[in-house]
Amino acid sequence: MTERQEPSRRRVLKGAAVAAATAALGIGGTYPAEASDASVTATSLDGTTSITMSLTGGSLQWSARRNGATAFAGSAMGLRLSDGTTLGTDAVLTNHQHWHVDSAWQPVYGRNATVLDTYQEMRWNLRDNRTSINFGVQIRAYATGVAFRYVLLDPGTAAIAGELTTFVFPDGTLVYSARDEDDYHPVAPGSIPLTGTSSTDSGPLTDLPLTATYNGELIACVCESGRVNYPRMMLSSVPGQPNALAAYLMRHTARGSGSVQTTSTVTTPFATPWRAVVIGSTHAELIDNAELVLNLAPAGALTDTSWIKPGKVFRCNLTTADGLAGADFAAARGLQYIEYDSGWYGPEHTSTDATQPISAIDLPKVISYATGKGIGVLLYVNPMALSSPDSLFARYRRWGVAGVKLGFINDGTQAMTNQITAWARTAARHRLLLDTHDDVRPFGYERTYPNWISLEGVRGNEHFPTATHNVTLPFTRNIGGPMDYTICYGQSRDRTTNAHQMAMAAVYYQPLDFLYWYGTPSMYSTPSKWPGLPWFDAIPTVWDRSRTLAGSIGEYVAVARRSGTTWYLGAMTNETARTLSIPLSFLGGGTYTATIYADGTPGSSPYQTPVAVSTQTVTSSTTLNVAMAPAGGQAVVLSHG
């Protein structure tokens, strides 16, 4: 059973192999039948990463290390029930198990064609001394990070009011705090700013994903995965503990609309979401380790996924003529979808019938014309028009619509989590893609329902943020999952160069990629004025292989992604000009033609910096000098042969 097998096969060690591993860890048979003091460590199979769970005087704690360095010091674990019971402060250990898994799986789409799923897991069953409630804790160690979750074991129901979970960082740590769709700010863990109103969750609160930088190169990102029938987690500064953040289960929706839920009632046995920490030994490695979130999510629930097609999208103005022109533009420029955004059925905050287009749009004509050219149509819907999603989505499918973009999706409470996952299931039943916008956060559910292809939950590019913001996102929000970040190529309000906007298509993982936001087909009618068009024509949105080549949060990033035999390399910098030396050792054998879209001589504003196109022959032994202007970037196509 311990022989090396093909990566696509699962290996679970049991029996004698488990006994041998247990003895090696020094835990096998060492506990009394019930113990209030114990400790166990799960270690990734490559030996780099570990998570330790301890029970001392009946109280649970966890800690984590990476290559011998502390990533998280002793941090609390446990649950708080609505009647005041705290599980994890006075417990005894009743049973323990452990094993390891070495497997791989193929996502419907993703950063890579194959995802490695390799970890060691430890499970403790415990009993609360005061109530005799039985519960469990599961910990996992991957080469890419660590994770843990709680399990309520007794059959019945339970009302969960909160978690005791904390994240205690070493001295000198900075965390990148952002709430709702604000900018990121690096602060000490104890200095999260006070935010919120009387109708929202209030306090020193920050959203997930939450990235922490340490003294040295170590970097970590706290995420959640597998959030089903449970509120969204935020993190809060802890009075008197300057290095700690505490789990906070949201009681309000993100912007305060909807019912308040102070507790979440669940049917037990019940497992909470995974608290996942993606860890990188370097900033660049953090990006490549993001698939940890997927590995922790429930496996795919759909038997047929052949209809799920990622791709590039063009937003059309709200007329029939613009829809027809958009379909022509999409077909000519290698895009897969067009979209009618808010307003296509009337003012979105007052119109509740998303089946009646405004008079300016002949929707059947546009859908027929677009689909005849192989272009799918996406429609925006405000939740006010979602009183009957099953009938609405069924009608859209009859119309020939390919997917829906839901706006003003503000999750937070258990009820909103259930609403969003229900929308994903309903959309899947009617073979519709789903893109959710506004304040919704990822939790790996694109693995379970891959038709939920994208979500926002970020300060969007349509707000023309700074270059610093743009080079923070690969290390923060995008770690958690797909990110709908509209690319605004050629817009005079951009605070970045056009090459910087182009590079986003490779740097960010966004399987449904809205291009040319604020643009019109006529704007690009003279292609010679827009040298970036061939880059956007060619680049796909999902990948066979991804490699982050360089990066430092808030400063710069360079990512290469392969589709077939062609690599697409995107690099971006903040407001500081810089040149990166990028070895092309990731290339295969033979020669490649590098088509380079670089910043030209800087203009008086970043937007006015031209794109300079050149070509050169390269091999895997070439080091590419990637020069970028202030707020600039570079996009490179590496074609084999």
Side-chain angles (χ1 to χ4, degrees), residues 252-271:
H252 302 257
T253 53
R255 290 191 172 93
S257 58
S259 301
V260 177
Q261 276 192 278
T262 58
T263 62
S264 298
T265 300
V266 298
T267 300
T268 54
F270 177 81

Side-chain angles (χ1 to χ4, degrees), residues 599-612:
D599 293 315
T601 303
S604 57
S605 68
Y607 160 73
Q608 294 174 313
T609 299
V611 175

Side-chain angles (χ1 to χ4, degrees), residues 31-258:
Y31 300 141
E34 294 183 356
S36 59
D37 291 314
S39 180
V40 67
T41 298
T43 303
S44 62
L45 300 192
D46 69 348
T48 62
T49 308
S50 65
I51 177 171
T52 296
M53 175 170 53
S54 63
L55 185 66
T56 305
S59 293
L60 283 166
Q61 281 199 334
W62 72 281
S63 59
R65 298 179 69 82
R66 174 77 161 198
N67 291 326
T70 296
F72 293 88
S75 306
M77 304 178 95
L79 292 173
R80 180 181 296 107
L81 305 184
S82 62
D83 64 1
T85 298
T86 55
L87 303 179
T89 57
D90 186 10
V92 293
L93 176 63
T94 60
N95 188 32
H96 63 91
Q97 300 171 289
H98 80 279
W99 55 82
H100 79 246
V101 169
D102 186 3
S103 66
W105 55 281
Q106 288 72 45
V108 177
Y109 53 83
R111 296 171 170 90
N112 297 286
T114 298
V115 178
L116 298 179
D117 190 11
T118 301
Y119 60 88
Q120 185 175 61
E121 178 169 337
M122 305 287 176
R123 292 189 179 186
W124 275 358
N125 288 356
L126 303 113
R127 188 181 67 248
D128 180 64
N129 274 327
R130 288 161 292 189
T131 63
S132 296
I133 293 172
N134 294 292
F135 66 103
V137 183
Q138 303 170 0
I139 63 172
R140 288 185 184 179
Y142 296 75
T144 53
V146 300
F148 59 90
R149 68 176 178 181
Y150 310 108
V151 183
L152 292 167
L153 297 170
D154 296 326
T157 61
I160 299 171
E163 293 188 15
L164 308 183
T165 309
T166 62
F167 300 81
V168 178
F169 300 90
D171 289 342
T173 300
L174 289 177
V175 297
Y176 281 73
S177 170
R179 179 166 181 180
D180 299 330
E181 294 173 66
D182 294 334
D183 290 322
Y184 284 88
H185 298 286
V187 297
S191 301
I192 303 297
L194 292 168
T195 54
T197 67
S198 59
S199 63
T200 67
D201 294 297
S202 300
L205 294 169
T206 182
D207 277 319
L208 302 183
L210 187 282
T211 298
T213 57
Y214 301 76
N215 291 323
E217 282 292 301
L218 192 68
I219 186 170
C221 184
V222 181
C223 304
E224 61 180 349
S225 184
R227 170 164 44 100
V228 179
N229 196 27
Y230 204 78
R232 179 171 124 195
M233 185 174 82
M234 301 178 76
L235 294 175
S236 172
S237 294
V238 180
Q241 299 183 50
N243 289 339
L245 292 174
Y248 178 91
L249 301 185
M250 294 178 67
R251 300 180 174 194
H252 302 257
T253 53
R255 290 191 172 93
S257 58

Side-chain angles (χ1 to χ4, degrees), residues 565-589:
T565 61
T566 303
W567 287 87
Y568 298 83
L569 190 160
M572 298 157 59
T573 184
N574 59 8
E575 286 71 19
T576 300
R578 71 182 79 235
T579 298
L580 302 178
S581 295
I582 303 294
L584 301 183
S585 54
F586 57 87
L587 295 178

